[in-house]
Amino acid sequence: MNTNVNRWFPQPRHCDSRRALLTSAMGIATLGVIGAPLLGVPELSDAAALTKDVRDKLTPDQIIEEMKQGNERFRTGKMSPHDYLAQKRATIAGQYPAAVILSCIDSRAPAEIILDSRIGDTFNARIVGNIANDDLLGSLEFACAVAGAKVVLVMGHTACGAIKGAIDGAQLGNLTGLLNKIKPAVDATRYEGERTSKNGEFVDEVAKTNVRLTVGAIRERSDVLAGLEKDGKIKIVGSMYRLAGGHIAFFT
Ligand SMILES: [Zn+2]
């Protein structure tokens, strides 16, 4: 099984000779432009997942670039044709995800779909308002320090109900405590206009602040992740997904 042929090699200079040979032999060399998705080619279905070797060679910046390109494919309706059964088969023996995503539970922001990623490409942690409590920090630490992921992507989104709830001071069972964790973002958002949940622009500004605060909290409260980032082994990045248009803006 040729495990090197996949789109997680965005830079042609990383192609090894075996990969180049196979790519050429399959007549898809013309697709070998930077970032061209090689998956979806039936002959390559056995290479449908990241391997440790491939993942370990990727840099955090390359992984971020691949996520940007994946979102571009989604946004423009040019998603890779996914053979999920092949991806499932390719990941049975092990997983080597390149990134871990901390995002909201909102049904309109499914990370794998809007990043056009595959089974096995990313860990996904979802919680209302994409905040980082101790258990989520532990999950991110597992993903990076134990399982080898190299990017922590915190992803907020527009029109977030959690942000609206935090602005309104909504109270409901256990949700009250969760929304309280978002409230610092409301206070920290500089905005001159109407500071209510009815003002979509303000809601989205608070969501951005919330992402930045979450990124800061990860660095501040996780010595493990802060240390990995300091050593250049991982990157912790914030982002915002815009429901209208489908674009993810990376805060880099
Ligand atoms: Zn949300």
Side-chain angles (χ1 to χ4, degrees):
M1 182 171 71
N2 174 36
T3 52
N4 284 333
V5 182
N6 67 55
R7 65 167 187 266
W8 285 89
F9 258 104
Q11 306 297 327
R13 65 177 176 272
H14 292 289
C15 299
D16 62 31
S17 58
R18 181 167 174 246
R19 173 181 183 250
L21 183 65
L22 279 173
T23 302
S24 177
M26 287 174 177
I28 57 171
T30 52
L31 294 176
V33 296
I34 293 175
L38 297 179
L39 291 181
V41 178
E43 293 88 339
L44 301 182
S45 60
D46 281 347
L50 279 172
T51 63
K52 185 176 188 307
D53 185 48
V54 170
R55 191 273 311 276
D56 288 351
K57 285 176 184 166
L58 292 168
T59 67
D61 284 335
Q62 284 177 315
I63 294 163
I64 291 167
E65 180 57 29
E66 168 55 29
M67 290 197 281
K68 288 179 179 175
Q69 291 185 12
N71 175 242
E72 182 68 9
R73 291 194 298 274
F74 165 75
R75 194 180 66 76
T76 57
K78 296 173 182 169
M79 295 176 77
S80 307
H82 289 274
D83 184 342
Y84 287 122
L85 291 180
Q87 294 175 18
K88 173 188 70 73
R89 284 193 295 272
T91 51
I92 290 171
Q95 59 167 342
Y96 306 99
V100 55
I101 298 162
L102 175 59
S103 60
C104 184
I105 67 166
D106 196 291
S107 66
R108 301 164 295 179
E112 290 98 333
I113 294 175
I114 64 178
L115 287 166
D116 192 23
S117 61
R118 302 164 298 179
I119 291 174
D121 282 349
T122 64
F123 288 105
N124 293 282
R126 296 182 71 167
I127 185 169
V128 161
N130 41 272
I131 54 111
N133 64 16
D134 288 350
D135 296 327
L136 284 159
L137 288 173
S139 300
L140 302 181
E141 288 170 354
F142 167 77
C144 295
V146 179
K150 296 180 176 180
V151 172
V152 176
L153 181 69
V154 178
M155 187 166 69
H157 66 96
T158 57
C160 180
I163 301 294
K164 292 177 185 175
I167 293 170
D168 290 342
Q171 299 199 336
L172 174 70
N174 291 289
L175 181 61
T176 303
L178 204 168
L179 295 183
N180 283 341
K181 295 184 171 73
I182 301 174
K183 278 185 179 171
V186 181
D187 299 333
T189 299
R190 292 180 188 167
Y191 188 81
E192 294 301 323
E194 182 187 330
R195 297 174 65 91
T196 73
S197 64
K198 291 186 172 57
N199 181 356
E201 191 178 68
F202 177 60
V203 170
D204 294 348
E205 284 303 309
V206 174
K208 279 187 219 169
T209 305
N210 185 51
V211 167
R212 291 199 172 93
L213 291 182
T214 299
V215 169
I218 292 169
R219 291 186 178 123
E220 196 173 307
R221 293 169 52 198
S222 171
D223 291 341
V224 171
L225 295 171
L228 286 172
E229 188 174 47
K230 200 175 176 184
D231 292 343
K233 292 179 177 167
I234 69 166
K235 276 199 173 180
I236 306 169
V237 184
S239 65
M240 273 288 288
Y241 174 60
R242 186 161 289 280
L243 297 184
H247 181 254
I248 300 172
F250 287 72
F251 301 167
T252 56

